[in-house]
Amino acid sequence: MNEQVARDVVLVRAIETMDGKHEVLSDDDRLYASRSAKELAQWQASDSKSAVTTEHFLQQRAEQILKRLSERTPAFAAIARRRGGFKALSLGLPLLALVLGAAVDRIGDPHRVDLLSAPLLAIIGWNMLVYLLLMAWVLVPARKNGWVSPALMRRLSGAQLSLPRKLPNVLAAGLTNFSLQWSELSARLTQARLARTMHLAAAMFAVGAVLSLYARGFLTQYVAGWESTFLNATQVHGILSVLFAPAVALLPLEGFSIADIEALQFSKVPTGAGGAKWVHLYGATLLLLVVLPRLVLAGVAHWRAQRMSNQFPLDLEQPYFRKLNGEAGTTAPALLRVLPYSYTLDEARDKGLAQIAVTLFGDQARVMLRPSSGYGEEAVDMLRDLSVIDANVTETAVLFSLAATPEKENHGAFLDHLVRASKRGIAVLIDESALTERSGAQAGADVRLAERIALWQQFCQFHRAPATIVNLLHPERRPLELGAGLSLSKAS
């Protein structure tokens, strides 16, 4: 899936997720889009003599939905077609750097080549510092977006949207949601493109300085020399020897001695000497230390950006995609594995659990209900025969009853064991049906229910496994919207 297809798919997901009441996309709209996408994907696969893929189906479905929304809301059409702001930046910044590089060399006497030229030494020194920082960042973790602000990341990735006033509220909320999602999903791609542009601009800046240096040499007689209040000829010779070492070693350029440096001191010889030799040394040094390394770094960044653009890293195992792909038949039916703790389900609650799985993952979703773990037993013993990492399982969820009181040494130990063992993360379902059934219409039942829910949510959050409240007898009372999925635990 390339970048453009991924962007359209994420945009549609954001809108559908926010459109819980189906205000802008009816059930018929969604069903029609899925059926049409399935047929188009099958036709495309038969034409290329290949199997129907998830990417083809999602691409066709996103195109159908975006087309329908654009027809109904013209203001949305312009937003849907909008792309990132990198094209102008990737061309304009290097060109601007080339001009500025040519101008910076003109600081000082235009008829003189200063051996200790501050602008040229600054260019080389700055780039050496950048190389050191790049090597340090490989070893030391940096901020998520590096030095780039989140607002700039959204603008460069094309996620910074100006919403028209006449846009329906649901669409506006969906686009805002998309802006946050796409900025995060495309962060690595945006960083690679920005790195490519910055490296190319740095190379062009040095190229501009070199071109200006040589261009003025054709029309002006350069004199070379140096002057310093604190440095003597020996020290200047040492500095220039290190600076020009790569150029002298790799290119057929003549070296220099301490006597040569001493003879070029302006205080001793105000007229200086011919500057062609030093123009070549500076030009070659800028080429070897700035232009070539920066072009290599720009090439690496370009390769990374192209690879991510052509194969965008979008996680298609998320509940939203699993449900759509299950309905389309492009993937195996989803499997929700449920691990009850000190809670035995009757037939009615078992059906409610199956309905929740269908809501999360589509009509073909199945439930694997494990035997209930006994209260007070060691988690290691109870789950000895369980493989937490199972490729056939879409999602694993622990099931507690809201009627129980959470205990650190029992419920908490059970959660901690699963969170440590699962790399993909686990979900926690808290069933309120037993407590609401027992409380009935008693006075203050709603308050006690809210307090118990807050207690369980705080308890599960402490154990790094956010809880989702469900009602297995009446799932419609705690609806799980398309694309919301279940909150998964994260390893510490």
Side-chain angles (χ1 to χ4, degrees), residues 442-475:
Q442 296 178 7
D446 292 341
V447 174
R448 289 193 294 272
L449 179 66
E451 291 175 348
R452 184 56 66 91
I453 289 175
L455 174 64
W456 267 103
Q457 288 179 332
Q458 184 178 9
F459 176 83
C460 293
Q461 191 68 43
F462 176 79
H463 290 278
R464 308 189 308 277
T468 300
I469 307 300
V470 297
N471 191 313
L472 296 184
L473 287 181
H474 304 283

PDB file of all heavy atoms in Angstrom, residues 442-475:
ATOM      1  N   GLN A 442     -32.949  -0.449  42.717  1.00  0.00           N
ATOM      2  CA  GLN A 442     -32.698   0.038  44.065  1.00  0.00           C
ATOM      3  C   GLN A 442     -32.265   1.510  44.037  1.00  0.00           C
ATOM      4  O   GLN A 442     -31.634   1.975  43.086  1.00  0.00           O
ATOM      5  CB  GLN A 442     -31.612  -0.793  44.747  1.00  0.00           C
ATOM      6  CG  GLN A 442     -31.995  -2.255  44.954  1.00  0.00           C
ATOM      7  CD  GLN A 442     -30.862  -3.052  45.589  1.00  0.00           C
ATOM      8  OE1 GLN A 442     -29.847  -2.487  45.979  1.00  0.00           O
ATOM      9  NE2 GLN A 442     -31.046  -4.361  45.679  1.00  0.00           N
ATOM     10  N   ALA A 443     -32.577   2.211  45.122  1.00  0.00           N
ATOM     11  CA  ALA A 443     -32.187   3.619  45.220  1.00  0.00           C
ATOM     12  C   ALA A 443     -30.667   3.740  45.271  1.00  0.00           C
ATOM     13  O   ALA A 443     -30.007   2.999  46.006  1.00  0.00           O
ATOM     14  CB  ALA A 443     -32.806   4.243  46.472  1.00  0.00           C
ATOM     15  N   GLY A 444     -30.127   4.667  44.486  1.00  0.00           N
ATOM     16  CA  GLY A 444     -28.684   4.887  44.457  1.00  0.00           C
ATOM     17  C   GLY A 444     -27.904   3.867  43.664  1.00  0.00           C
ATOM     18  O   GLY A 444     -26.669   3.838  43.743  1.00  0.00           O
ATOM     19  N   ALA A 445     -28.599   3.026  42.893  1.00  0.00           N
ATOM     20  CA  ALA A 445     -27.901   1.980  42.126  1.00  0.00           C
ATOM     21  C   ALA A 445     -26.958   2.585  41.089  1.00  0.00           C
ATOM     22  O   ALA A 445     -25.848   2.078  40.879  1.00  0.00           O
ATOM     23  CB  ALA A 445     -28.920   1.065  41.449  1.00  0.00           C
ATOM     24  N   ASP A 446     -27.396   3.650  40.451  1.00  0.00           N
ATOM     25  CA  ASP A 446     -26.551   4.272  39.420  1.00  0.00           C
ATOM     26  C   ASP A 446     -25.268   4.841  40.021  1.00  0.00           C
ATOM     27  O   ASP A 446     -24.192   4.757  39.413  1.00  0.00           O
ATOM     28  CB  ASP A 446     -27.327   5.386  38.711  1.00  0.00           C
ATOM     29  CG  ASP A 446     -28.477   4.843  37.874  1.00  0.00           C
ATOM     30  OD1 ASP A 446     -28.444   3.637  37.557  1.00  0.00           O
ATOM     31  OD2 ASP A 446     -29.387   5.625  37.547  1.00  0.00           O
ATOM     32  N   VAL A 447     -25.374   5.412  41.207  1.00  0.00           N
ATOM     33  CA  VAL A 447     -24.194   5.979  41.859  1.00  0.00           C
ATOM     34  C   VAL A 447     -23.209   4.874  42.229  1.00  0.00           C
ATOM     35  O   VAL A 447     -22.000   4.999  42.015  1.00  0.00           O
ATOM     36  CB  VAL A 447     -24.605   6.781  43.110  1.00  0.00           C
ATOM     37  CG1 VAL A 447     -23.367   7.259  43.868  1.00  0.00           C
ATOM     38  CG2 VAL A 447     -25.488   7.951  42.718  1.00  0.00           C
ATOM     39  N   ARG A 448     -23.724   3.788  42.800  1.00  0.00           N
ATOM     40  CA  ARG A 448     -22.846   2.674  43.176  1.00  0.00           C
ATOM     41  C   ARG A 448     -22.208   2.042  41.941  1.00  0.00           C
ATOM     42  O   ARG A 448     -21.040   1.628  41.980  1.00  0.00           O
ATOM     43  CB  ARG A 448     -23.646   1.631  43.956  1.00  0.00           C
ATOM     44  CG  ARG A 448     -24.047   2.083  45.356  1.00  0.00           C
ATOM     45  CD  ARG A 448     -24.544   0.912  46.190  1.00  0.00           C
ATOM     46  NE  ARG A 448     -25.783   0.377  45.648  1.00  0.00           N
ATOM     47  CZ  ARG A 448     -27.007   0.823  45.979  1.00  0.00           C
ATOM     48  NH1 ARG A 448     -27.125   1.819  46.848  1.00  0.00           N
ATOM     49  NH2 ARG A 448     -28.086   0.272  45.456  1.00  0.00           N
ATOM     50  N   LEU A 449     -22.973   1.972  40.849  1.00  0.00           N
ATOM     51  CA  LEU A 449     -22.425   1.426  39.609  1.00  0.00           C
ATOM     52  C   LEU A 449     -21.281   2.294  39.092  1.00  0.00           C
ATOM     53  O   LEU A 449     -20.229   1.774  38.703  1.00  0.00           O
ATOM     54  CB  LEU A 449     -23.531   1.337  38.552  1.00  0.00           C
ATOM     55  CG  LEU A 449     -23.114   0.812  37.173  1.00  0.00           C
ATOM     56  CD1 LEU A 449     -22.679  -0.651  37.259  1.00  0.00           C
ATOM     57  CD2 LEU A 449     -24.258   0.959  36.168  1.00  0.00           C
ATOM     58  N   ALA A 450     -21.466   3.603  39.101  1.00  0.00           N
ATOM     59  CA  ALA A 450     -20.422   4.518  38.631  1.00  0.00           C
ATOM     60  C   ALA A 450     -19.179   4.433  39.506  1.00  0.00           C
ATOM     61  O   ALA A 450     -18.047   4.464  39.009  1.00  0.00           O
ATOM     62  CB  ALA A 450     -20.949   5.950  38.588  1.00  0.00           C
ATOM     63  N   GLU A 451     -19.379   4.311  40.822  1.00  0.00           N
ATOM     64  CA  GLU A 451     -18.242   4.199  41.727  1.00  0.00           C
ATOM     65  C   GLU A 451     -17.471   2.913  41.490  1.00  0.00           C
ATOM     66  O   GLU A 451     -16.233   2.899  41.507  1.00  0.00           O
ATOM     67  CB  GLU A 451     -18.732   4.267  43.176  1.00  0.00           C
ATOM     68  CG  GLU A 451     -19.267   5.636  43.585  1.00  0.00           C
ATOM     69  CD  GLU A 451     -19.843   5.639  44.978  1.00  0.00           C
ATOM     70  OE1 GLU A 451     -20.035   4.520  45.554  1.00  0.00           O
ATOM     71  OE2 GLU A 451     -20.116   6.735  45.516  1.00  0.00           O
ATOM     72  N   ARG A 452     -18.193   1.819  41.280  1.00  0.00           N
ATOM     73  CA  ARG A 452     -17.511   0.538  41.040  1.00  0.00           C
ATOM     74  C   ARG A 452     -16.758   0.549  39.708  1.00  0.00           C
ATOM     75  O   ARG A 452     -15.649   0.013  39.602  1.00  0.00           O
ATOM     76  CB  ARG A 452     -18.541  -0.591  41.069  1.00  0.00           C
ATOM     77  CG  ARG A 452     -17.932  -1.995  40.916  1.00  0.00           C
ATOM     78  CD  ARG A 452     -16.874  -2.289  41.972  1.00  0.00           C
ATOM     79  NE  ARG A 452     -17.443  -2.344  43.297  1.00  0.00           N
ATOM     80  CZ  ARG A 452     -17.891  -3.454  43.858  1.00  0.00           C
ATOM     81  NH1 ARG A 452     -17.821  -4.603  43.205  1.00  0.00           N
ATOM     82  NH2 ARG A 452     -18.385  -3.427  45.078  1.00  0.00           N
ATOM     83  N   ILE A 453     -17.350   1.177  38.692  1.00  0.00           N
ATOM     84  CA  ILE A 453     -16.666   1.279  37.396  1.00  0.00           C
ATOM     85  C   ILE A 453     -15.377   2.087  37.537  1.00  0.00           C
ATOM     86  O   ILE A 453     -14.320   1.702  37.021  1.00  0.00           O
ATOM     87  CB  ILE A 453     -17.603   1.921  36.351  1.00  0.00           C
ATOM     88  CG1 ILE A 453     -18.721   0.942  35.965  1.00  0.00           C
ATOM     89  CG2 ILE A 453     -16.817   2.340  35.103  1.00  0.00           C
ATOM     90  CD1 ILE A 453     -19.753   1.534  35.028  1.00  0.00           C
ATOM     91  N   ALA A 454     -15.462   3.208  38.252  1.00  0.00           N
ATOM     92  CA  ALA A 454     -14.265   4.039  38.454  1.00  0.00           C
ATOM     93  C   ALA A 454     -13.197   3.264  39.217  1.00  0.00           C
ATOM     94  O   ALA A 454     -11.994   3.381  38.910  1.00  0.00           O
ATOM     95  CB  ALA A 454     -14.640   5.312  39.206  1.00  0.00           C
ATOM     96  N   LEU A 455     -13.607   2.457  40.196  1.00  0.00           N
ATOM     97  CA  LEU A 455     -12.655   1.655  40.967  1.00  0.00           C
ATOM     98  C   LEU A 455     -11.933   0.659  40.078  1.00  0.00           C
ATOM     99  O   LEU A 455     -10.697   0.531  40.128  1.00  0.00           O
ATOM    100  CB  LEU A 455     -13.388   0.936  42.096  1.00  0.00           C
ATOM    101  CG  LEU A 455     -12.559  -0.055  42.925  1.00  0.00           C
ATOM    102  CD1 LEU A 455     -11.455   0.681  43.678  1.00  0.00           C
ATOM    103  CD2 LEU A 455     -13.456  -0.839  43.882  1.00  0.00           C
ATOM    104  N   TRP A 456     -12.681  -0.059  39.234  1.00  0.00           N
ATOM    105  CA  TRP A 456     -12.074  -1.055  38.345  1.00  0.00           C
ATOM    106  C   TRP A 456     -11.177  -0.393  37.292  1.00  0.00           C
ATOM    107  O   TRP A 456     -10.098  -0.901  36.976  1.00  0.00           O
ATOM    108  CB  TRP A 456     -13.168  -1.880  37.664  1.00  0.00           C
ATOM    109  CG  TRP A 456     -13.498  -3.131  38.405  1.00  0.00           C
ATOM    110  CD1 TRP A 456     -14.579  -3.362  39.207  1.00  0.00           C
ATOM    111  CD2 TRP A 456     -12.725  -4.341  38.420  1.00  0.00           C
ATOM    112  NE1 TRP A 456     -14.538  -4.637  39.714  1.00  0.00           N
ATOM    113  CE2 TRP A 456     -13.409  -5.268  39.243  1.00  0.00           C
ATOM    114  CE3 TRP A 456     -11.540  -4.735  37.828  1.00  0.00           C
ATOM    115  CZ2 TRP A 456     -12.930  -6.553  39.482  1.00  0.00           C
ATOM    116  CZ3 TRP A 456     -11.056  -6.016  38.057  1.00  0.00           C
ATOM    117  CH2 TRP A 456     -11.747  -6.918  38.874  1.00  0.00           C
ATOM    118  N   GLN A 457     -11.629   0.706  36.737  1.00  0.00           N
ATOM    119  CA  GLN A 457     -10.817   1.376  35.709  1.00  0.00           C
ATOM    120  C   GLN A 457      -9.502   1.874  36.300  1.00  0.00           C
ATOM    121  O   GLN A 457      -8.443   1.757  35.664  1.00  0.00           O
ATOM    122  CB  GLN A 457     -11.604   2.533  35.098  1.00  0.00           C
ATOM    123  CG  GLN A 457     -12.735   2.074  34.192  1.00  0.00           C
ATOM    124  CD  GLN A 457     -13.528   3.220  33.620  1.00  0.00           C
ATOM    125  OE1 GLN A 457     -13.620   4.291  34.225  1.00  0.00           O
ATOM    126  NE2 GLN A 457     -14.135   3.024  32.453  1.00  0.00           N
ATOM    127  N   GLN A 458      -9.559   2.432  37.507  1.00  0.00           N
ATOM    128  CA  GLN A 458      -8.338   2.893  38.155  1.00  0.00           C
ATOM    129  C   GLN A 458      -7.422   1.720  38.480  1.00  0.00           C
ATOM    130  O   GLN A 458      -6.196   1.798  38.312  1.00  0.00           O
ATOM    131  CB  GLN A 458      -8.691   3.654  39.429  1.00  0.00           C
ATOM    132  CG  GLN A 458      -7.483   4.266  40.139  1.00  0.00           C
ATOM    133  CD  GLN A 458      -7.882   5.047  41.377  1.00  0.00           C
ATOM    134  OE1 GLN A 458      -9.032   5.004  41.804  1.00  0.00           O
ATOM    135  NE2 GLN A 458      -6.935   5.764  41.960  1.00  0.00           N
ATOM    136  N   PHE A 459      -7.993   0.615  38.916  1.00  0.00           N
ATOM    137  CA  PHE A 459      -7.217  -0.580  39.243  1.00  0.00           C
ATOM    138  C   PHE A 459      -6.511  -1.137  38.011  1.00  0.00           C
ATOM    139  O   PHE A 459      -5.305  -1.438  38.038  1.00  0.00           O
ATOM    140  CB  PHE A 459      -8.156  -1.631  39.851  1.00  0.00           C
ATOM    141  CG  PHE A 459      -7.504  -2.949  40.143  1.00  0.00           C
ATOM    142  CD1 PHE A 459      -6.787  -3.142  41.318  1.00  0.00           C
ATOM    143  CD2 PHE A 459      -7.593  -4.013  39.245  1.00  0.00           C
ATOM    144  CE1 PHE A 459      -6.182  -4.361  41.593  1.00  0.00           C
ATOM    145  CE2 PHE A 459      -6.997  -5.229  39.511  1.00  0.00           C
ATOM    146  CZ  PHE A 459      -6.289  -5.404  40.687  1.00  0.00           C
ATOM    147  N   CYS A 460      -7.250  -1.269  36.909  1.00  0.00           N
ATOM    148  CA  CYS A 460      -6.660  -1.819  35.677  1.00  0.00           C
ATOM    149  C   CYS A 460      -5.617  -0.866  35.090  1.00  0.00           C
ATOM    150  O   CYS A 460      -4.586  -1.312  34.562  1.00  0.00           O
ATOM    151  CB  CYS A 460      -7.757  -2.106  34.656  1.00  0.00           C
ATOM    152  SG  CYS A 460      -8.879  -3.435  35.131  1.00  0.00           S
ATOM    153  N   GLN A 461      -5.867   0.420  35.179  1.00  0.00           N
ATOM    154  CA  GLN A 461      -4.892   1.384  34.682  1.00  0.00           C
ATOM    155  C   GLN A 461      -3.595   1.282  35.465  1.00  0.00           C
ATOM    156  O   GLN A 461      -2.506   1.402  34.903  1.00  0.00           O
ATOM    157  CB  GLN A 461      -5.477   2.801  34.795  1.00  0.00           C
ATOM    158  CG  GLN A 461      -4.673   3.864  34.069  1.00  0.00           C
ATOM    159  CD  GLN A 461      -4.736   3.703  32.558  1.00  0.00           C
ATOM    160  OE1 GLN A 461      -5.805   3.434  32.004  1.00  0.00           O
ATOM    161  NE2 GLN A 461      -3.607   3.852  31.890  1.00  0.00           N
ATOM    162  N   PHE A 462      -3.691   1.054  36.761  1.00  0.00           N
ATOM    163  CA  PHE A 462      -2.500   0.889  37.597  1.00  0.00           C
ATOM    164  C   PHE A 462      -1.670  -0.315  37.153  1.00  0.00           C
ATOM    165  O   PHE A 462      -0.432  -0.295  37.217  1.00  0.00           O
ATOM    166  CB  PHE A 462      -2.921   0.727  39.064  1.00  0.00           C
ATOM    167  CG  PHE A 462      -1.765   0.460  40.001  1.00  0.00           C
ATOM    168  CD1 PHE A 462      -0.938   1.489  40.425  1.00  0.00           C
ATOM    169  CD2 PHE A 462      -1.495  -0.840  40.434  1.00  0.00           C
ATOM    170  CE1 PHE A 462       0.132   1.239  41.274  1.00  0.00           C
ATOM    171  CE2 PHE A 462      -0.430  -1.090  41.281  1.00  0.00           C
ATOM    172  CZ  PHE A 462       0.391  -0.051  41.708  1.00  0.00           C
ATOM    173  N   HIS A 463      -2.361  -1.341  36.668  1.00  0.00           N
ATOM    174  CA  HIS A 463      -1.660  -2.555  36.194  1.00  0.00           C
ATOM    175  C   HIS A 463      -1.399  -2.497  34.688  1.00  0.00           C
ATOM    176  O   HIS A 463      -1.161  -3.543  34.059  1.00  0.00           O
ATOM    177  CB  HIS A 463      -2.478  -3.797  36.560  1.00  0.00           C
ATOM    178  CG  HIS A 463      -2.505  -4.087  38.030  1.00  0.00           C
ATOM    179  ND1 HIS A 463      -1.491  -4.749  38.684  1.00  0.00           N
ATOM    180  CD2 HIS A 463      -3.417  -3.756  38.982  1.00  0.00           C
ATOM    181  CE1 HIS A 463      -1.784  -4.832  39.972  1.00  0.00           C
ATOM    182  NE2 HIS A 463      -2.945  -4.250  40.191  1.00  0.00           N
ATOM    183  N   ARG A 464      -1.447  -1.306  34.102  1.00  0.00           N
ATOM    184  CA  ARG A 464      -1.066  -1.049  32.710  1.00  0.00           C
ATOM    185  C   ARG A 464      -1.941  -1.793  31.705  1.00  0.00           C
ATOM    186  O   ARG A 464      -1.500  -2.178  30.636  1.00  0.00           O
ATOM    187  CB  ARG A 464       0.414  -1.399  32.467  1.00  0.00           C
ATOM    188  CG  ARG A 464       1.379  -0.773  33.445  1.00  0.00           C
ATOM    189  CD  ARG A 464       2.819  -0.981  33.025  1.00  0.00           C
ATOM    190  NE  ARG A 464       3.140  -2.361  32.748  1.00  0.00           N
ATOM    191  CZ  ARG A 464       3.456  -3.258  33.657  1.00  0.00           C
ATOM    192  NH1 ARG A 464       3.481  -2.919  34.936  1.00  0.00           N
ATOM    193  NH2 ARG A 464       3.754  -4.497  33.321  1.00  0.00           N
ATOM    194  N   ALA A 465      -3.216  -2.013  32.077  1.00  0.00           N
ATOM    195  CA  ALA A 465      -4.142  -2.706  31.179  1.00  0.00           C
ATOM    196  C   ALA A 465      -5.488  -1.994  31.219  1.00  0.00           C
ATOM    197  O   ALA A 465      -6.360  -2.344  32.020  1.00  0.00           O
ATOM    198  CB  ALA A 465      -4.297  -4.169  31.600  1.00  0.00           C
ATOM    199  N   PRO A 466      -5.691  -0.956  30.405  1.00  0.00           N
ATOM    200  CA  PRO A 466      -6.949  -0.183  30.427  1.00  0.00           C
ATOM    201  C   PRO A 466      -8.162  -1.073  30.222  1.00  0.00           C
ATOM    202  O   PRO A 466      -8.136  -2.015  29.420  1.00  0.00           O
ATOM    203  CB  PRO A 466      -6.772   0.801  29.271  1.00  0.00           C
ATOM    204  CG  PRO A 466      -5.292   0.880  29.061  1.00  0.00           C
ATOM    205  CD  PRO A 466      -4.751  -0.471  29.401  1.00  0.00           C
ATOM    206  N   ALA A 467      -9.229  -0.778  30.954  1.00  0.00           N
ATOM    207  CA  ALA A 467     -10.428  -1.619  30.936  1.00  0.00           C
ATOM    208  C   ALA A 467     -11.504  -1.040  30.028  1.00  0.00           C
ATOM    209  O   ALA A 467     -11.622   0.173  29.858  1.00  0.00           O
ATOM    210  CB  ALA A 467     -10.968  -1.764  32.357  1.00  0.00           C
ATOM    211  N   THR A 468     -12.305  -1.939  29.451  1.00  0.00           N
ATOM    212  CA  THR A 468     -13.477  -1.573  28.663  1.00  0.00           C
ATOM    213  C   THR A 468     -14.701  -2.173  29.343  1.00  0.00           C
ATOM    214  O   THR A 468     -14.753  -3.387  29.584  1.00  0.00           O
ATOM    215  CB  THR A 468     -13.367  -2.114  27.226  1.00  0.00           C
ATOM    216  OG1 THR A 468     -12.200  -1.567  26.602  1.00  0.00           O
ATOM    217  CG2 THR A 468     -14.588  -1.733  26.414  1.00  0.00           C
ATOM    218  N   ILE A 469     -15.684  -1.351  29.664  1.00  0.00           N
ATOM    219  CA  ILE A 469     -16.895  -1.814  30.331  1.00  0.00           C
ATOM    220  C   ILE A 469     -17.868  -2.349  29.285  1.00  0.00           C
ATOM    221  O   ILE A 469     -18.138  -1.685  28.270  1.00  0.00           O
ATOM    222  CB  ILE A 469     -17.554  -0.675  31.138  1.00  0.00           C
ATOM    223  CG1 ILE A 469     -16.539  -0.032  32.085  1.00  0.00           C
ATOM    224  CG2 ILE A 469     -18.757  -1.200  31.913  1.00  0.00           C
ATOM    225  CD1 ILE A 469     -15.940  -0.979  33.098  1.00  0.00           C
ATOM    226  N   VAL A 470     -18.390  -3.546  29.506  1.00  0.00           N
ATOM    227  CA  VAL A 470     -19.354  -4.169  28.595  1.00  0.00           C
ATOM    228  C   VAL A 470     -20.521  -4.694  29.410  1.00  0.00           C
ATOM    229  O   VAL A 470     -20.445  -4.820  30.638  1.00  0.00           O
ATOM    230  CB  VAL A 470     -18.713  -5.307  27.780  1.00  0.00           C
ATOM    231  CG1 VAL A 470     -17.608  -4.786  26.878  1.00  0.00           C
ATOM    232  CG2 VAL A 470     -18.174  -6.402  28.704  1.00  0.00           C
ATOM    233  N   ASN A 471     -21.593  -5.023  28.708  1.00  0.00           N
ATOM    234  CA  ASN A 471     -22.755  -5.666  29.319  1.00  0.00           C
ATOM    235  C   ASN A 471     -23.078  -6.881  28.482  1.00  0.00           C
ATOM    236  O   ASN A 471     -23.610  -6.753  27.374  1.00  0.00           O
ATOM    237  CB  ASN A 471     -23.947  -4.699  29.373  1.00  0.00           C
ATOM    238  CG  ASN A 471     -25.089  -5.232  30.230  1.00  0.00           C
ATOM    239  OD1 ASN A 471     -25.481  -6.387  30.107  1.00  0.00           O
ATOM    240  ND2 ASN A 471     -25.613  -4.377  31.098  1.00  0.00           N
ATOM    241  N   LEU A 472     -22.745  -8.059  28.984  1.00  0.00           N
ATOM    242  CA  LEU A 472     -22.893  -9.277  28.186  1.00  0.00           C
ATOM    243  C   LEU A 472     -24.343  -9.704  28.023  1.00  0.00           C
ATOM    244  O   LEU A 472     -24.656 -10.440  27.071  1.00  0.00           O
ATOM    245  CB  LEU A 472     -22.080 -10.410  28.821  1.00  0.00           C
ATOM    246  CG  LEU A 472     -20.564 -10.205  28.852  1.00  0.00           C
ATOM    247  CD1 LEU A 472     -19.861 -11.438  29.402  1.00  0.00           C
ATOM    248  CD2 LEU A 472     -20.021  -9.868  27.471  1.00  0.00           C
ATOM    249  N   LEU A 473     -25.230  -9.269  28.905  1.00  0.00           N
ATOM    250  CA  LEU A 473     -26.648  -9.585  28.733  1.00  0.00           C
ATOM    251  C   LEU A 473     -27.312  -8.636  27.746  1.00  0.00           C
ATOM    252  O   LEU A 473     -28.211  -9.041  26.996  1.00  0.00           O
ATOM    253  CB  LEU A 473     -27.372  -9.524  30.083  1.00  0.00           C
ATOM    254  CG  LEU A 473     -27.096 -10.671  31.055  1.00  0.00           C
ATOM    255  CD1 LEU A 473     -27.898 -10.492  32.334  1.00  0.00           C
ATOM    256  CD2 LEU A 473     -27.407 -12.032  30.422  1.00  0.00           C
ATOM    257  N   HIS A 474     -26.877  -7.388  27.743  1.00  0.00           N
ATOM    258  CA  HIS A 474     -27.441  -6.378  26.841  1.00  0.00           C
ATOM    259  C   HIS A 474     -26.283  -5.575  26.235  1.00  0.00           C
ATOM    260  O   HIS A 474     -26.007  -4.443  26.662  1.00  0.00           O
ATOM    261  CB  HIS A 474     -28.393  -5.455  27.593  1.00  0.00           C
ATOM    262  CG  HIS A 474     -29.502  -6.166  28.305  1.00  0.00           C
ATOM    263  ND1 HIS A 474     -30.607  -6.661  27.649  1.00  0.00           N
ATOM    264  CD2 HIS A 474     -29.662  -6.489  29.627  1.00  0.00           C
ATOM    265  CE1 HIS A 474     -31.415  -7.239  28.515  1.00  0.00           C
ATOM    266  NE2 HIS A 474     -30.867  -7.160  29.724  1.00  0.00           N
ATOM    267  N   PRO A 475     -25.580  -6.124  25.231  1.00  0.00           N
ATOM    268  CA  PRO A 475     -24.403  -5.443  24.653  1.00  0.00           C
ATOM    269  C   PRO A 475     -24.712  -4.057  24.105  1.00  0.00           C
ATOM    270  O   PRO A 475     -23.831  -3.195  24.065  1.00  0.00           O
ATOM    271  CB  PRO A 475     -23.962  -6.397  23.535  1.00  0.00           C
ATOM    272  CG  PRO A 475     -24.503  -7.732  23.943  1.00  0.00           C
ATOM    273  CD  PRO A 475     -25.795  -7.449  24.640  1.00  0.00           C
TER     274      PRO A 475
END
